[in-house]
Amino acid sequence: LHLLDISWFTESMSAGHPVQILDRHKVQQADEVEVAVFSVPSYACQRRTSLDNRNTVLTDALSLLAENAELSDQDGRGVAFRRAAAVMKSLPEPVTSMTQLRGLPCLGEHSLRVIRDVLENGASREVESMKQSKQYKALKVLTGVFGVGAKTAARWIREGIHTLHQLRNSGHTLNRAQQAGLEHYDDLNQQVSKAEAEAIQQIVEEVVASVLPGAKVTLTGGFRRGKLMGHDVDFLITHPEEGKEVGLMSKVVSWLESQGFLLYQKTTRNSYLVSDDSPALPPSNMDRFERCLSIFKLAQDQPHRAKQLGALPLDTAEHRRGDSGLQTDQDSCSQRIQTPGGQEDTKPWRAVRVDLVVSPISQFAFAVLGWTGSKLFERELRRWAGQEKAMSLSSHALYDNKKRKYLQASSEEEIFAHLDLEFIPPSERNA
Ligand code: DCT
Ligand code: MG
């Protein structure tokens, strides 16, 4: 056995210099097999994680366990599996044996058991049986409705509601978001492509330019990290002159609504104020900007639409969701229209989840960093700031608890520098 030891680790954790290859050496043993032994720093924000994942079978299994934990309201377990998956995503080569993993951080007993099962048997028995379980299937279907979270889904399941058909006939009064979610269920459970995101960006840019010349629109979320598909489209809007952005959201939303672009929208007002003497950090760093959660009506040219859906039959929702294996009883006839020629065809538009956020320029660097993700990368940045640097990071500000003051930044690079971290570009924040 040749043990090719690729040590990736920080020169100094507190100095924050991230991943380096320190050395490579071979340990000669009996036969000719060569395997790499990995070492990575423990915070995801110290690592570079591109979209080129060499261990998808392992990370898919761990991510499913994470998802199931989150859907079951077990966030602690969810984070543990997310961290384990993120470590596997950052490895430069496919893992073939357990010996390669000794010394890696964030791999708990449970995650290691799952990895071993996948390496030895090609799949994890636990994950496979979870995927087939009634509980998981029902949680997936119900939380697939926009506006339905884990707690609501669990309550409905306890009442015996497992399908959309049962939900519709349950007599439950759904709120406005959930009604829209049910109505556009199929569309919203179909991934959004980069091309669709760009088409929406064009519309948003035109609207923003017409209501506030000079304002800037930035595509954030997964698409800024280079993803080709996403579950929604996230935008951040600002203006180079502080204060000019006030009132912008309502104008943008009114204009979009008047043009028939919005199938649903809910705007929340900005409630964040930086105070001079205390951190005043919001309990959740996501909810203090002026923010509009919307469902966009995106026109689709028919040939493109047809090509995109390929030869898939349109009779059930599960066909369009590919291999999820989930059964729903969505009446997808609502997704068909009669063409003038009398032929059945897809409707000429689709519903897409779009998030709009407005930030003042003074907070823009923090906002763009906070909204670029991934979710785990953000969580790890905040954990690093708190535990290693005694600082509080949000998508509005960075507060130094020891110096008792806010640290200003006008770029993401400056924030990484304040945190003593090497700058990680968006395309390598796919933890
Ligand atoms: N975010 C976060 N914490 C949350 C929710 C979101 O830090 N609880 C940040 C990270 C990503 C960004 O907001 C946008 O969120 P999503 O759209 O949910 O994530 P995404 O990476 O864009 O994923 P997708 O490509 O599926 O839209
Ligand atoms: Mg997104």
Side-chain angles (χ1 to χ4, degrees):
L1 180 78
H2 287 301
L3 264 188
L4 176 62
D5 188 354
I6 304 177
S7 298
W8 304 69
F9 72 130
T10 52
E11 197 172 50
S12 149
M13 284 261 291
S14 55
H17 296 296
V19 184
Q20 289 184 346
I21 299 178
L22 229 228
D23 72 337
R24 296 164 183 263
H25 63 260
K26 294 179 183 177
V27 180
Q28 194 85 38
Q29 282 188 14
D31 59 22
E32 293 300 307
V33 186
E34 243 186 29
V35 290
V37 175
F38 312 106
S39 160
V40 304
S42 65
Y43 288 82
C45 55
Q46 298 172 289
R47 309 190 290 256
R48 293 174 181 272
T49 312
S50 74
L51 287 168
D52 181 18
N53 177 356
R54 305 299 175 91
N55 287 286
T56 49
V57 181
L58 293 172
T59 58
D60 284 353
L62 293 166
S63 300
L64 265 162
L65 291 172
E67 182 194 31
N68 185 51
E70 289 158 2
L71 292 179
S72 309
D73 219 13
Q74 300 177 319
D75 287 343
R77 271 163 59 86
V79 172
F81 286 127
R82 294 269 174 224
R83 287 210 186 104
V87 165
M88 306 311 287
K89 280 182 202 171
S90 75
L91 301 180
E93 289 174 27
V95 172
T96 52
S97 90
M98 294 301 286
T99 55
Q100 297 174 276
L101 306 181
R102 61 177 162 80
L104 282 185
C106 309
L107 299 180
E109 211 179 293
H110 197 156
S111 294
L112 285 170
R113 198 162 67 232
V114 171
I115 293 169
R116 183 188 304 278
D117 211 6
V118 173
L119 292 180
E120 287 175 0
N121 308 312
S124 151
R125 215 177 313 166
E126 180 185 358
V127 173
E128 293 311 305
S129 76
M130 186 206 80
K131 278 199 281 190
Q132 298 310 319
S133 76
K134 267 174 86 174
Q135 177 77 8
Y136 174 75
K137 284 182 183 177
L139 280 170
K140 272 295 266 191
V141 169
L142 297 177
T143 58
V145 178
F146 172 64
V148 177
K151 286 198 175 72
T152 303
R155 201 175 62 236
W156 288 343
I157 293 170
R158 282 197 299 274
E159 295 170 14
I161 300 169
H162 286 76
T163 66
L164 299 184
H165 181 72
Q166 289 169 335
L167 176 59
R168 283 202 183 90
N169 295 328
S170 67
H172 278 299
T173 313
L174 303 181
N175 65 31
R176 215 164 50 83
Q178 294 163 345
Q179 284 170 26
L182 207 47
E183 187 175 343
H184 305 292
Y185 187 87
D186 281 9
D187 276 0
L188 299 185
N189 281 283
Q190 189 194 318
Q191 295 251 297
V192 186
S193 71
K194 174 90 185 168
E196 289 169 325
E198 283 167 353
I200 294 170
Q201 180 165 17
Q202 215 170 350
I203 296 164
V204 172
E205 277 173 350
E206 275 171 34
V207 180
V208 168
S210 76
V211 301
L212 182 64
K216 191 173 87 173
V217 176
T218 305
L219 183 61
T220 59
F223 290 113
R224 183 163 184 258
R225 303 197 306 276
K227 281 175 65 179
L228 297 175
M229 291 290 190
H231 93 284
D232 69 356
V233 192
D234 308 287
F235 294 107
L236 184 59
I237 307 168
T238 191
H239 189 281
E241 214 177 304
E242 185 84 2
K244 282 268 190 190
E245 80 291 345
V246 174
L248 176 58
M249 185 67 94
S250 63
K251 287 181 195 156
V252 169
V253 170
S254 299
W255 197 95
L256 287 170
E257 253 179 344
S258 71
Q259 300 296 307
F261 279 117
L262 299 182
L263 296 162
Y264 166 90
Q265 68 86 13
K266 186 174 187 229
T267 307
T268 44
R269 298 225 348 255
N270 184 2
S271 57
Y272 181 78
L273 284 174
V274 172
S275 90
D276 290 336
D277 47 12
S278 77
L281 291 172
S284 152
N285 72 326
M286 299 311 296
D287 58 4
R288 296 300 179 99
F289 282 118
E290 211 173 4
R291 176 177 178 183
C292 174
L293 269 87
S294 78
I295 300 177
F296 218 85
K297 183 175 180 176
L298 178 64
Q300 307 255 101
D301 55 306
Q302 287 308 103
H304 173 74
R305 171 76 167 168
K307 201 163 71 194
Q308 199 184 17
L309 292 174
L312 294 180
L314 293 172
D315 50 349
T316 63
E318 66 190 289
H319 281 113
R320 239 160 303 159
R321 274 206 303 281
D323 59 3
S324 70
L326 294 172
Q327 297 200 341
T328 70
D329 47 7
Q330 167 84 355
D331 173 16
S332 58
C333 286
S334 63
Q335 297 289 323
R336 298 183 194 173
I337 57 163
Q338 296 281 332
T339 63
Q343 282 175 304
E344 264 190 355
D345 205 341
T346 52
K347 58 185 168 43
W349 55 270
R350 68 162 291 198
V352 178
R353 275 274 300 109
V354 174
D355 270 3
L356 301 173
V357 177
V358 171
S359 153
I361 191 72
S362 59
Q363 297 174 19
F364 180 74
F366 298 99
V368 81
L369 177 59
W371 281 89
T372 295
S374 67
K375 281 187 197 103
L376 185 76
F377 192 90
E378 301 295 336
R379 177 182 270 275
E380 293 282 275
L381 268 178
R382 298 193 291 266
R383 192 166 69 94
W384 168 270
Q387 296 193 348
E388 305 296 329
K389 296 283 137 190
M391 293 179 186
S392 308
L393 175 68
S394 76
S395 4
H396 299 272
L398 178 62
Y399 186 79
D400 188 321
N401 298 319
K402 282 186 287 199
K403 294 184 185 151
R404 296 178 162 273
K405 64 167 192 175
Y406 287 99
L407 304 177
Q408 305 299 316
S410 56
S411 68
E412 290 184 313
E413 283 84 346
E414 287 171 47
I415 304 171
F416 278 87
H418 282 317
L419 291 169
D420 256 335
L421 287 169
E422 184 180 299
F423 179 67
I424 310 283
S427 62
E428 295 184 289
R429 295 181 203 158
N430 287 292

